[in-house]
Amino acid sequence: MMSKGILLFAFNNIEIDYIKQAIFCAKKAKEHLKLPVALVTDNSSYLDTNYPFYKKYIDQVIPVQRENTTQVRNFADGVYSIRKLHWKNHSRSDCYELSPFDETIVLDVDYIICNDILLNCFKIDEDFLIYRNPTDVADTVRTIQLFDRISDRSIDMWWATGFYFKKTPFMKMYFDLVKHIKDNWPYYRLIYQIPNN
């Protein structure tokens, strides 16, 4: 029988306690999906010190080295509140190696699980599932049309907020390609005409 579980990544920054969000996400995963949860973080001592109860929701902590670089993105919390936030997301390309599960659902830690619909991933005979269009939580029929492509002349946009994969040779090749693109980002950004911002 193949192991199934949830993989979360939490790297705190000066603005947001992602570890706290990860614990809440894991709590909801336990409540609705009843699956084991693994957390990838660069700060397990913070977890132990500030949230000693985390073991009730997180089955395994996977320590990784602290990332030297952070990314900055604009965060809009309404029309009048726009600020720049720092975030670290480089380790997600290592999902294949880091996941302790044969079948994994990777979620952003601010993804709030309110039902068991994600369990359908394990019923579909695919190696990889990812969102093409996000769905508005207030209107589950209409999808949000923010943009279809990363830029006007670029590649299609896919949302890595939540995705599923099986550990297969094809997926190993996929994640190796993702890491290759990450390592050679300036080249691929130019080839696919992705704006610098």
Side-chain angles (χ1 to χ4, degrees):
M1 183 173 193
M2 297 185 79
S3 61
K4 300 173 173 78
I6 306 291
L7 185 63
L8 306 174
F9 289 79
F11 303 98
N12 282 353
N13 61 31
I14 57 175
E15 299 98 358
I16 298 174
D17 187 341
Y18 286 106
I19 291 176
K20 186 176 184 180
Q21 288 184 7
I23 294 168
F24 181 77
C25 184
K27 178 182 178 182
K28 300 303 280 182
K30 291 288 188 183
E31 178 183 344
H32 294 289
L33 305 177
K34 299 180 181 26
L35 290 172
V37 177
L39 173 66
V40 177
T41 185
D42 61 352
N43 202 340
S44 56
S45 61
Y46 178 84
L47 186 66
D48 289 327
T49 304
N50 294 287
Y51 304 106
F53 60 88
Y54 77 89
K55 292 179 183 175
K56 184 175 179 180
Y57 308 111
I58 296 172
D59 300 282
Q60 183 175 354
V61 175
I62 302 167
V64 294
Q65 286 189 333
R66 187 172 302 272
E67 295 178 0
N68 294 330
T69 59
T70 60
Q71 297 156 311
V72 179
R73 71 177 176 112
N74 291 327
F75 176 77
D77 188 13
V79 179
Y80 300 107
S81 175
I82 297 174
R83 42 192 181 136
K84 293 188 180 298
L85 295 179
H86 299 85
W87 57 288
K88 305 171 194 175
N89 209 15
H90 294 285
S91 295
R92 284 188 62 164
S93 58
D94 298 322
C95 289
Y96 189 92
E97 288 82 14
L98 292 174
S99 178
F101 312 112
D102 299 316
E103 296 183 64
T104 305
I105 297 174
V106 179
L107 296 174
D108 283 357
V109 295
D110 60 356
Y111 191 108
I112 300 173
I113 303 165
C114 296
N115 57 41
D116 66 355
I117 199 165
L118 287 172
L119 292 175
N120 289 326
C121 292
F122 303 112
K123 298 175 186 174
I124 299 172
D125 189 25
E126 295 289 340
D127 289 352
F128 187 65
L129 300 169
I130 191 167
Y131 291 104
R132 175 67 179 103
N133 292 309
T135 302
D136 186 338
V137 70
D139 183 3
T140 57
V141 176
R142 179 184 57 83
T143 57
I144 303 169
Q145 295 299 323
L146 298 173
F147 45 87
D148 291 326
R149 302 174 77 71
I150 292 177
S151 68
D152 290 341
R153 299 177 306 275
S154 184
I155 58 176
D156 290 344
M157 178 65 188
W158 294 84
W159 294 89
T161 300
F163 61 91
Y164 160 87
F165 72 93
K166 286 182 189 172
K167 284 197 173 179
T168 63
F170 177 78
M171 290 313 302
K172 171 74 169 108
M173 186 171 52
Y174 172 84
F175 281 106
D176 285 347
L177 177 61
V178 168
K179 285 191 273 191
H180 171 77
I181 292 169
K182 182 179 87 170
D183 292 342
N184 297 282
W185 179 244
Y187 169 78
Y188 284 99
R189 186 184 68 73
L190 290 173
I191 291 295
Y192 289 103
Q193 300 175 355
I194 299 171
N196 195 33
N197 61 349

